[in-house]
Amino acid sequence: MEAPPVSVMPVTGGAINMMEYLLQGSVLDQSLESLLHRLRGLCDNMEPESFADHELVYLLKGQQGNPFLLRARRSLLHPPAPWHLRYLGQPEVGDKSRLALVRNCVDVSASHSLPEVLNEMGFRMDHEFVAKGQMFRKGAMKVVVSKLSRVLVPGNTENTEPLSLSYLVELSVLAPAGQDTVSEDMRSFAEQLKPLVHLEKIDPKRLM
């Protein structure tokens, strides 16, 4: 659903076209520390990476069909870092044998003028939010635990309020198309996080 922290995105100028395998869930605020403790024990032996990112979601409405959506994200902890632009394709949810949601994913780094460029192209900002949290690694898998907050005054990331009393938990892997075996590894890892959090294959359309 959300983009990964800016700090873990590619920093090259070229686009990277991959498939994203994704499982999602949530954990209540009061259970956060228990989950983080479990992740520290299960994930690679390195400190989790903290992040605070500002994401803007842009839409380009066509004459027919769904609007074209792009996500622009910048780091609040490292303001000089490049912006990142992300496109997520329609999820391939029809194949029930797949254990994770699968969708095309394109990430590209961009200059700080990205919002102005998108506006010139005809895109309009639909909404914005701030994501703060931690990112863990387990081999090729990434686990992002984040608190999402709405921006109350457009562009003012200091004036926010939490969207809920829970944290979003996302387990993801970026891999070339056809590497469906990664979803089996993801499911096995997700089982070890129960009952603290139940990570599932969630169709975004079901939430709309």
Side-chain angles (χ1 to χ4, degrees):
M1 190 170 78
E2 313 307 336
V6 166
S7 52
V8 301
M9 286 182 172
V11 293
T12 58
I16 296 180
N17 192 345
M18 302 282 274
M19 302 302 290
E20 180 185 54
Y21 295 77
L22 179 69
L23 293 174
Q24 295 173 301
S26 63
V27 61
L28 291 173
D29 289 356
Q30 59 262 36
S31 301
L32 174 66
E33 287 306 317
S34 297
L35 175 63
L36 295 180
H37 181 74
R38 177 76 61 87
L39 287 171
R40 288 188 183 97
L42 293 173
C43 292
D44 294 344
N45 188 22
M46 61 177 67
E47 279 298 308
E49 185 170 340
S50 297
F51 65 90
D53 292 346
H54 176 211
E55 181 163 313
L56 300 89
V57 179
Y58 287 85
L59 298 179
L60 180 64
K61 295 182 178 180
Q63 294 182 346
Q64 53 184 329
N66 295 325
F68 190 75
L69 186 148
L70 292 175
R71 298 176 175 274
R73 184 176 275 223
R74 66 186 178 100
S75 171
L76 298 176
L77 298 182
H78 308 284
W83 279 65
H84 280 270
L85 185 65
R86 194 170 214 235
Y87 165 76
L88 295 171
Q90 291 297 317
E92 301 175 9
V93 294
D95 187 350
K96 298 190 182 301
S97 66
R98 280 181 165 160
L99 301 177
L101 181 142
V102 183
R103 57 189 178 185
N104 183 254
C105 175
V106 179
D107 281 326
V108 60
S109 59
S111 70
H112 288 217
S113 61
L114 178 60
E116 290 79 10
V117 172
L118 291 174
N119 283 324
E120 288 293 326
M121 292 173 63
F123 283 88
R124 291 295 175 262
M125 190 184 73
D126 182 68
H127 61 279
E128 59 183 321
F129 61 89
V130 169
K132 296 182 179 181
Q134 293 180 298
M135 190 276 298
F136 297 79
R137 290 186 184 274
K138 176 68 172 178
M141 292 184 287
K142 289 187 298 192
V143 185
V144 177
V145 182
S146 56
K147 168 69 77 172
L148 305 182
S149 299
R150 64 169 56 90
V151 176
L152 300 177
V153 178
N156 184 355
T157 56
E158 299 295 325
N159 191 355
T160 64
E161 69 175 13
L163 284 169
S164 70
L165 299 176
S166 62
Y167 280 74
L168 175 67
V169 183
E170 295 182 302
L171 171 62
S172 66
V173 174
L174 285 179
Q179 302 292 315
D180 289 353
T181 54
V182 301
S183 61
E184 298 174 8
D185 297 333
M186 293 171 65
R187 277 292 183 187
S188 297
F189 184 81
E191 285 296 320
Q192 299 180 69
L193 296 179
K194 292 179 179 178
L196 292 172
V197 62
H198 293 262
L199 298 176
E200 300 176 313
K201 173 184 174 181
I202 298 176
D203 181 0
K205 293 181 179 177
R206 206 175 73 197
L207 303 177
M208 297 177 65

